[in-house]
Amino acid sequence: MSASPDNHLPKSENPEVLSDDARLTRPEAIAAGMEAVVVSFKHILKETGFIRGNKALLTMNQKGGWDCSSCAWPDPDDDRSPIAEYCENGAKAAAEEITTKSLHADFFAENSVYDLSLLDDFHIGKKGRIAQPMYLPEGGTHYQPISWDEAFLKIGAKLRSLASPDEAVFYTSGRASNEAAFLYGLFVRAYGTNNLPDCSNMCHESTSVALAKQLGLGKASIKLEDFYQAEVIVIIGQNPGTNAPRMLTALRKGRENGAKIIAINSMRETGLIGFADPQNLKSALHLNTKISDVYLKPKINTDQALIKAITKLLWDEEQRAPGTVFDHAFIAEQTTGYEALLAEVAQYDADELIAYCGLTRAEVQEVVDLIKHKQKLIFCWAMGITQHKNAVHTIYDLVNILLLKGSIGKPGAGTCPVRGHSNVQGDRTMGIWDKPKEEMLDKMEAVFGFNPPRKHGYDVVESLRAMHEGKASVFFALGGNFLSATPDTNFSAQAMRNCDLTVHVSTKLNRSHFVHGKEALILPCLSRSDKDHHDGIEQIVSTEGTTGVVQSSKGVLNPVSKELLSEVQIICRLAKATLDSGMKIDWDAFEKNYDAIRDVIEQVVPGFEDYNKRVRVKGGFYLPNGPREQQFDTESKKATLFVTPLERYHLNAGELMMMSIRSHDQFNTTIYGLNDRYRGVHDERRVLFMNSEDIAQHGLKPDDAVDIVSQYETERVAHNFRIVAYDIARGCVAGYFPETNVLVPIQCTAAGSNQPASKSVVVTLRKRPA
């Protein structure tokens, strides 16, 4: 392994020896089961004692308990398990934050930034909770302790010294609560900028853009109960077994009620094949484990062509039996653009589109036959759809099918973009957005007496460019691991180093703490599971799930350090150290009692009337959702059937299309372990999944070591990956992020959303010497 003191990058940047302990096993056929229970408790007991761990698990995702800090899958409204309303990855996430290991000044004195940077992301994260504020001075080699007051004074002074507020960037992770997110957006706009990039810019920005234009709201239209009433559920570009495991329970219940499930994914995923629910006797005994009825594996980023082919075949069926496939009453009353779309669809060559996807006519016809006479139809998708250049158009085409079928705003039907991080949707609702709505800014001005900036700010990609070019010199992150989450690792790292000051509000160490500006601060905060008790009040916060349910979250464990502050406290004290004291914002009141925050949220954000009362109702409340009621807040006040261009790609000899994926032992950039047992990979992350025929065609063998190369204006290389033969579409490969992020070019983003195209990167392979 090689590295230099000024190159504190993930190990994907440096040639290294692959693990001697790495081994491959047969991919598992069934997700979860009792093994998931065993693995969950192993992770808990490694990090904390039985009593503390059990208390956390028994209250996680329970009414009146604390909200899991990993995925945003909604909690059941009325049938929550009293024993375990969490999944394996939720338990792993809990273990990460309830650990009793803590890092104080002596740890940082003994470990330089350079030495810590040599660790991989897994071992960095396993060091423990950060116990006190830490500061890295310019030219320093070790983080050193700093008081909270000194930290806030330093940040405030730097922010006030900038020539323009637009020279600062304020990032938000999806972990932040509604209350913290609202205050953060308020502070940043009172400071004078809309530079509020967030993790949604990298995961579902394409969804937000597409659904807002097509249906009037960039969120899911379904409720959890719709899965139980659906006739057909289509899961495209999403892997629930690893990325939202509790979704499998909803799919099982839907199947038991008669739903057919169609899986569309370029590679085999265990969670789309079978599921053994450890809390259901028949399922746990493997007597009822089937998930998908049909499983298509199109080539990476041919989803749009596949959807167009399905649309054409549905239209053909409608022509043969008019009025039996399309819902003409719904189309006439609720949509615009039908005639233009039909004229376009008539020109499609279904067989040619299907061939482009690498599928057969029989495979696609099976999908058409399942949905053609059904209206209770749900489409689920995630980053397998949103992280492509044509993502927005692909989502338009998906929703076109739902609109043609009249499958919006009806029980058992609608859109389900499966959100990632726990409160990423709530943060956007609270105004964390570089392009805020004028209505929210107007209300903010009326309530707080200042004129918020109206000019759009920087999103994630624009922020990286601004920092890289020296247009922004202060970076502040409310949670997250920005460097490991962003594309084009070398470019992103240089952008961070170009800053004068980088600040991270964090619970644990991560890679971003070691790739820093001239000065750097780490501000340790409470986690969701921690009790937040101050000023004589046991505080609660709230979050919003994928289906728009807002509910309370209250920590149950004593924090590992008395020097931790909540995100709300940090924001309030930062605001007081930065802003003009004459502003009409009572930061002291907000910090003392979070009810005061919710009182002003209901004055600014639609749908939060009686917030303090309703958030204390067990199970919370639903936010207004127009598409759910067939009310479309578009210019025409109807849903729009869009005509989209088909975007194709062509691979030259030796080229492959790569997508980045998660291991089953990680959530976003947090690496829980080194085992991806669903795919049969153990004790190794530097692997490249590849079709057996492609391996032979490229003159390679399974277990060969290769460098992965992408060529976009300049050469990017991810070194030393082991080839794994896998059931994946021809011409396609997949590797874990953040290790493969170095290959994702900063300039390749989705049209209309500027979301990084991390799942369609053209690469070549170089075999390494034996």
Side-chain angles (χ1 to χ4, degrees):
M1 176 171 62
S2 66
S4 59
D6 63 346
N7 187 39
H8 306 158
L9 292 176
K11 295 170 77 177
S12 58
E13 291 307 290
N14 303 301
E16 61 174 281
V17 177
L18 293 168
S19 170
D20 292 332
D21 299 323
R23 59 189 176 90
L24 300 179
T25 60
R26 184 184 299 276
E28 295 194 357
I30 297 174
M34 293 310 297
E35 186 173 4
V37 177
V38 172
V39 170
S40 297
F41 279 95
K42 281 183 177 179
H43 276 263
I44 291 290
L45 295 177
K46 279 182 182 178
E47 299 295 338
T48 190
F50 175 80
I51 294 176
R52 179 178 171 90
N54 200 46
K55 184 177 184 180
L57 292 179
L58 287 174
T59 53
M60 185 164 68
N61 295 328
Q62 298 292 349
K63 296 176 180 178
W66 62 286
D67 195 44
C68 177
S69 57
S70 58
C71 84
W73 190 251
D75 300 321
D77 289 334
D78 54 10
D79 61 345
R80 299 188 196 192
S81 166
I83 301 172
E85 191 53 61
Y86 56 86
C87 65
E88 176 188 339
N89 277 1
K92 292 174 182 176
E96 292 283 313
E97 68 174 68
I98 69 174
T99 181
T100 51
K101 294 182 290 189
S102 57
L103 308 180
H104 296 265
D106 57 344
F107 171 85
F108 292 95
E110 294 167 4
N111 295 275
S112 70
V113 171
Y114 173 62
D115 288 339
L116 290 170
S117 76
L118 297 181
L119 300 175
D120 59 30
D121 290 311
F122 167 62
H123 289 95
I124 290 172
K126 289 299 180 184
K127 291 299 181 184
R129 292 283 297 273
I130 305 165
Q132 63 188 102
M134 303 302 299
Y135 169 61
L136 183 68
E138 184 172 0
T141 59
H142 292 68
Y143 276 98
Q144 59 193 42
I146 187 174
S147 71
W148 279 108
D149 287 344
E150 289 177 302
F152 291 129
L153 288 173
K154 187 175 290 291
I155 302 167
K158 184 61 183 177
L159 290 174
R160 291 194 306 273
S161 74
L162 298 181
S164 166
D166 290 332
E167 294 177 10
V169 169
F170 299 90
Y171 175 73
T172 311
S173 158
R175 189 199 66 209
S177 67
N178 283 348
E179 292 76 10
F182 180 82
L183 288 189
Y184 193 53
L186 177 63
F187 158 65
V188 171
R189 293 187 172 103
Y191 173 64
T193 186
N194 280 313
N195 288 348
L196 281 160
D198 70 333
C199 57
S200 184
N201 294 153
M202 295 180 281
C203 62
H204 266 291
E205 196 64 45
S206 298
T207 294
S208 297
V209 170
L211 291 185
K213 290 184 178 179
Q214 194 161 20
L215 302 179
L217 182 69
K219 300 181 182 182
S221 69
I222 54 95
K223 292 183 177 180
L224 189 56
E225 65 194 42
D226 288 313
F227 280 89
Y228 314 150
Q229 303 173 53
E231 296 172 305
V232 180
I233 302 167
V234 180
I235 307 166
I236 180 169
Q238 196 254 342
N239 176 20
T242 289
N243 301 338
R246 285 197 299 158
M247 180 179 173
L248 295 175
T249 301
L251 296 177
R252 177 183 64 78
K253 292 180 179 179
R255 276 193 59 84
E256 290 175 350
N257 292 337
K260 298 296 184 180
I261 297 177
I262 299 167
I264 302 173
N265 197 300
S266 298
M267 64 190 295
R268 176 199 184 279
E269 297 291 11
T270 298
L272 292 171
I273 296 171
F275 167 54
D277 186 344
Q279 297 191 70
N280 177 273
L281 182 59
K282 286 180 63 177
S283 183
L285 293 175
H286 292 199
L287 300 176
N288 180 25
T289 61
K290 184 178 180 181
I291 289 293
S292 58
D293 297 277
V294 177
Y295 199 135
L296 302 187
K297 300 188 189 74
K299 295 178 181 179
I300 292 172
N301 195 23
T302 62
D303 307 274
Q304 188 188 19
L306 174 58
I307 296 160
K308 287 182 180 293
I310 292 171
T311 305
K312 176 60 162 62
L313 294 178
L314 287 172
W315 183 77
D316 290 343
E317 297 284 351
E318 172 68 17
Q319 294 297 102
R320 284 191 283 271
T324 64
V325 178
F326 291 174
D327 186 339
H328 291 279
F330 178 90
I331 292 169
E333 295 171 9
Q334 303 290 354
T335 73
T336 62
Y338 179 61
E339 296 300 329
L341 178 62
L342 280 193
E344 178 73 13
V345 170
Q347 305 303 313
Y348 295 164
D349 182 334
D351 290 324
E352 189 272 334
L353 292 169
I354 291 168
Y356 172 69
C357 299
L359 300 172
T360 67
R361 174 68 176 260
E363 288 177 304
V364 180
Q365 187 64 50
E366 190 174 5
V367 172
V368 172
D369 289 343
L370 280 177
I371 68 176
K372 64 184 179 182
H373 297 313
K374 302 294 191 297
Q375 284 194 331
K376 294 183 176 181
L377 173 65
I378 295 175
F379 276 168
C380 309
W381 71 89
M383 274 77 84
I385 293 296
T386 65
Q387 291 184 331
H388 300 290
K389 286 186 176 181
N390 58 331
V392 173
H393 288 161
T394 300
I395 296 168
Y396 285 158
D397 288 330
L398 269 177
V399 177
N400 279 349
I401 293 179
L402 291 175
L403 294 174
L404 291 171
K405 299 290 297 173
S407 300
I408 295 281
K410 296 176 181 178
T415 59
C416 182
V418 183
R419 297 286 177 172
H421 213 158
S422 175
N423 199 41
V424 61
Q425 186 163 293
D427 289 350
R428 181 59 61 88
T429 301
M430 290 294 108
I432 299 298
W433 196 15
D434 52 287
K435 303 173 183 63
K437 292 184 177 181
E438 288 292 326
E439 297 84 353
M440 178 174 282
L441 297 180
D442 290 342
K443 289 184 178 180
M444 193 172 283
E445 181 176 5
V447 172
F448 298 107
F450 73 95
N451 185 19
R454 306 285 167 154
K455 182 180 73 171
H456 288 174
Y458 298 139
D459 61 20
V460 163
V461 170
E462 292 164 342
S463 294
L464 287 169
R465 290 189 180 279
M467 292 188 289
H468 200 272
E469 296 168 8
K471 296 178 181 178
S473 59
V474 174
F475 176 82
F476 190 104
L478 184 63
N481 180 0
F482 187 72
L483 179 71
S484 293
T486 51
D488 212 340
T489 309
N490 280 330
F491 185 96
S492 295
Q494 190 57 55
M496 298 291 284
R497 293 194 190 100
N498 287 350
C499 291
D500 293 333
L501 175 66
T502 50
V503 184
H504 294 273
V505 178
S506 304
T507 56
K508 302 183 70 179
L509 284 179
N510 65 57
R511 177 71 55 189
S512 298
H513 300 144
F514 312 135
V515 180
H516 49 76
K518 294 183 179 67
E519 296 179 276
L521 283 157
I522 304 174
L523 307 181
C525 67
L526 297 174
S527 68
R528 292 259 182 89
S529 59
D530 291 328
K531 291 180 180 177
D532 185 1
H533 191 279
H534 60 83
D535 292 288
I537 300 171
E538 192 172 23
Q539 310 286 351
I540 64 170
V541 293
S542 56
T543 60
E544 178 187 343
T546 287
T547 56
V549 178
V550 177
Q551 61 183 5
S552 67
S553 179
K554 182 172 70 174
V556 297
L557 302 178
N558 292 323
V560 296
S561 169
K562 294 182 179 180
E563 292 197 55
L564 304 182
L565 295 180
S566 72
E567 291 173 320
V568 166
Q569 290 175 299
I570 290 171
I571 296 163
C572 289
R573 296 186 190 186
L574 175 60
K576 289 186 288 186
T578 305
L579 303 177
D580 184 344
S581 60
M583 298 190 80
K584 181 186 162 185
I585 305 175
D586 194 343
W587 299 105
D588 289 325
F590 295 152
E591 180 180 350
K592 181 177 181 179
N593 188 335
Y594 301 173
D595 281 357
I597 308 171
R598 289 183 282 272
D599 284 341
V600 294
I601 288 174
E602 70 177 59
Q603 297 178 58
V604 175
V605 185
F608 285 84
E609 297 78 13
D610 296 322
Y611 194 178
N612 274 307
K613 179 180 179 181
R614 291 195 293 159
V615 80
R616 286 177 166 85
V617 174
K618 288 189 175 182
F621 61 93
Y622 280 93
L623 291 174
N625 188 302
R628 190 176 293 158
E629 307 298 328
Q630 295 188 0
Q631 297 175 3
F632 304 106
D633 189 17
T634 62
E635 288 187 14
S636 66
K637 298 305 177 183
K638 292 186 176 184
T640 305
L641 290 158
F642 278 111
V643 174
T644 65
L646 174 61
E647 300 178 41
R648 303 172 186 256
Y649 64 85
H650 171 75
L651 295 178
N652 297 314
E655 292 181 336
L656 297 157
M657 184 63 78
M658 187 200 76
M659 64 178 175
S660 62
I661 58 174
R662 294 178 189 166
S663 156
H664 187 61
D665 241 358
Q666 77 178 95
F667 181 77
N668 291 347
T669 59
T670 303
I671 313 300
Y672 302 135
L674 301 177
N675 297 319
D676 189 0
R677 71 174 191 276
Y678 287 174
R679 300 188 183 104
V681 177
H682 305 269
D683 295 307
E684 184 58 87
R685 287 186 54 82
R686 305 187 68 76
V687 297
L688 188 69
F689 297 99
M690 191 171 180
N691 185 284
S692 295
E693 294 182 42
D694 287 327
I695 293 174
Q697 183 176 323
H698 283 73
L700 299 169
K701 300 185 302 297
D703 210 40
D704 277 352
V706 298
D707 293 338
I708 313 171
V709 182
S710 69
Q711 298 277 2
Y712 291 82
E713 297 181 7
T714 185
E715 182 176 277
R716 297 167 175 81
V717 184
H719 297 280
N720 213 5
F721 280 68
R722 175 173 286 162
I723 296 293
V724 174
Y726 202 77
D727 185 359
I728 186 171
R730 288 294 311 273
C732 302
V733 292
Y736 303 134
F737 76 89
E739 287 84 352
T740 57
N741 283 0
V742 65
L743 300 166
V744 182
I746 190 72
Q747 63 266 43
C748 289
T749 61
S753 70
N754 208 30
Q755 181 174 336
S758 300
K759 290 205 179 338
S760 50
V761 182
V762 177
V763 300
T764 57
L765 306 181
R766 294 176 184 163
K767 185 176 179 179
R768 294 174 62 86

